Amino acid sequence: MLYRLYCSSGNTLGVEEYVCYSEIGADNRWVRYVEIRPDGTALRYDSEHAADRHGVLPEGEWEEEETTKREYGIVAAISADLFQAVWSVTQCVNDASGQNARKVAEGG
């Protein structure tokens, strides 16, 4: 498994600013994904919940060589433990439980 943190801040393509945490399998496909938007809204996707009205688990294959292209923003390797911590504590608007918590990193 690969674990990556992506931040679109500083991209030159006009992509709205957001942060995402990805778990990528041996086949280079996304297994789990958490996206945090500028307003604090968080979304979570995995194979059990691959899409909803808010978004979708990224499709296609992860291409590690693309991570060096700064026009997309910044990508960094993270540990499995960090990914799991984010996955476990982030309250997402699209959780199956129906919770509408929006603030993540702010401790709310």
Side-chain angles (χ1 to χ4, degrees), residues 10-21:
N11 79 82
T12 59
L13 301 174
V15 176
E16 183 179 3
E17 191 171 285
Y18 70 97
V19 172
C20 69
Y21 297 84

Side-chain angles (χ1 to χ4, degrees), residues 28-51:
N28 289 328
R29 298 200 178 274
W30 276 262
V31 176
R32 296 187 292 171
Y33 175 83
V34 175
E35 179 179 314
I36 304 170
R37 297 182 175 168
D39 66 357
T41 300
L43 303 170
R44 173 192 335 267
Y45 297 99
D46 62 14
S47 59
E48 300 291 318
H49 180 90

Side-chain angles (χ1 to χ4, degrees), residues 50-81:
D52 58 27
R53 65 185 176 94
H54 300 287
V56 64
L57 182 68
E59 298 174 337
E61 290 188 10
W62 175 262
E63 296 182 24
E64 190 69 21
E65 59 276 359
E66 293 290 310
T67 67
T68 62
K69 297 182 178 179
R70 293 295 174 222
E71 66 261 26
Y72 297 122
I74 299 168
V75 178
I78 60 173
S79 69
D81 289 340

